[in-house]
Amino acid sequence: MTTVYIDEVFLLNAVLDYLLLLCSARLAGEELRRGRMAAAALLGGGYAAAVFLPGWGFLSHPLCALAAAAGMTLVAFGGSRRLLRVSLVFLGVSAAFGGGVLALQLLSGRRVVPDLRSLLLSAAGCYAFLTLIFHRGFRHSGGELASAELRLNERSCRLTALVDTGNTLTDPHTGRPVMVAEGEKLRSLFPPEECPRAEELLDPVAAMERRGKTPRRWRLLPYRAVGVSCGLLLAVKVDQARVGGRDYGSILVALSPNPVSDGGGYSALISG
């Protein structure tokens, strides 16, 4: 007779579910909302523990397990434009982890009842393996999404940024990374009389002339892109830029007159 400790079942599954949700978010290019993922993982741990309670065995039915997985993805990623995508990735990653445990049993030639330590190590290894192998195929445009906050004087704005390792745009004077953001998304950074108009973003030279000969924060930033051999963007130096958990400090933010994302999933780009 096998003894099941409810507290261990809850802890084990909560940790495993968090790692699987984290892996799914990274593979699907989803913004990492760790608080929501932790809440979803606790829900998964509670479901796994409830299966072993007297009279609750029906929860082990595949439809109940599928409903629990759907509830976890809603808690972790509800409201996301990529909800269906990240949900499918989560199911695939969970199946891959289960298959990995089964493969270990087949290779060993006997049925192994894994303990807490071995399962946690297996989950961590599975997370690292899947991220390494499939990251290029699933990540969005070569990077991951993160919340960004910009501050200028007493004003601030929040937006979603793509941390793109392929983005090489830098400040020609300092060599530091430059963020490219949709100009329309940065209106809250400026007083109404200083906010660049849409037509100014299309003609950055005229916009600089409007701001005088010696603008304190404003720059013209040269860039190259597909179909553009030498272009200019109006850029402003913000006091602070935080993207995810990284503080970029005071950097240039180039104001793009066009959306930087095809699907609208993010409104800024910065190098990783």
Side-chain angles (χ1 to χ4, degrees):
M1 179 177 178
T2 302
T3 302
V4 176
Y5 296 95
I6 294 296
D7 55 344
E8 287 190 2
V9 172
F10 173 80
L11 176 61
L12 171 63
N13 282 272
V15 174
L16 289 178
D17 288 338
Y18 181 82
L19 289 175
L20 293 174
L21 288 167
L22 180 61
C23 183
S24 302
R26 289 189 179 279
L27 293 177
E30 180 62 39
E31 182 178 349
L32 301 182
R33 299 181 175 90
R34 296 181 183 272
R36 294 184 59 172
M37 287 191 293
L42 293 176
L43 174 64
Y47 164 76
V51 170
F52 294 95
L53 294 176
W56 290 79
F58 68 91
L59 290 177
S60 62
H61 191 280
L63 289 179
C64 294
L66 187 61
M72 289 171 58
T73 55
L74 284 175
V75 171
F77 311 113
S80 169
R81 298 183 181 182
R82 299 177 180 81
L83 179 59
L84 178 59
R85 178 183 180 182
V86 73
S87 298
L88 293 176
V89 172
F90 174 65
L91 292 176
V93 168
S94 301
F97 174 71
V101 174
L102 178 61
L104 290 176
Q105 293 181 353
L106 293 176
L107 288 174
S108 65
R110 58 190 178 88
R111 181 172 179 80
V112 179
V113 180
D115 57 12
L116 178 64
R117 180 174 178 272
S118 63
L119 273 177
L120 290 179
L121 289 176
S122 298
C126 181
Y127 167 77
F129 175 78
L130 290 173
T131 301
L132 177 65
I133 299 300
F134 299 114
H135 190 56
R136 290 180 179 268
F138 282 95
R139 66 184 183 179
H140 188 85
S141 299
E144 67 180 37
L145 300 177
S147 297
E149 181 180 13
L150 306 178
R151 292 187 176 277
L152 180 60
N153 295 324
E154 301 300 321
R155 295 174 174 268
S156 65
C157 74
R158 293 181 178 272
L159 61 163
T160 300
L162 176 69
V163 183
D164 185 3
T165 55
N167 179 15
T168 59
L169 186 61
T170 57
D171 186 339
H173 298 289
T174 64
R176 302 194 63 203
V178 171
M179 175 182 286
V180 180
E182 296 176 23
E184 290 294 321
K185 302 292 186 179
L186 304 181
R187 289 186 171 274
S188 60
L189 277 182
F190 311 103
E193 65 276 6
E194 294 183 15
C195 184
R197 301 188 299 268
E199 58 271 21
E200 288 185 308
L201 299 181
L202 294 170
D203 189 357
V205 175
M208 286 292 291
E209 292 176 350
R210 176 173 176 260
R211 282 158 178 77
K213 295 182 179 180
T214 57
R216 185 169 67 91
R217 291 183 178 272
W218 298 93
R219 306 268 184 85
L220 286 176
L221 185 70
Y223 74 98
R224 291 182 180 180
V226 177
V228 181
S229 59
C230 184
L232 291 173
L233 289 173
L234 184 65
V236 62
K237 190 171 186 179
V238 299
D239 295 324
Q240 185 184 45
R242 294 186 64 89
V243 182
R246 179 175 175 182
D247 186 355
Y248 284 81
S250 178
I251 62 171
L252 282 178
V253 178
L255 282 64
S256 172
N258 305 309
V260 298
S261 163
D262 292 336
Y266 54 91
S267 50
L269 288 166
I270 193 168
S271 62

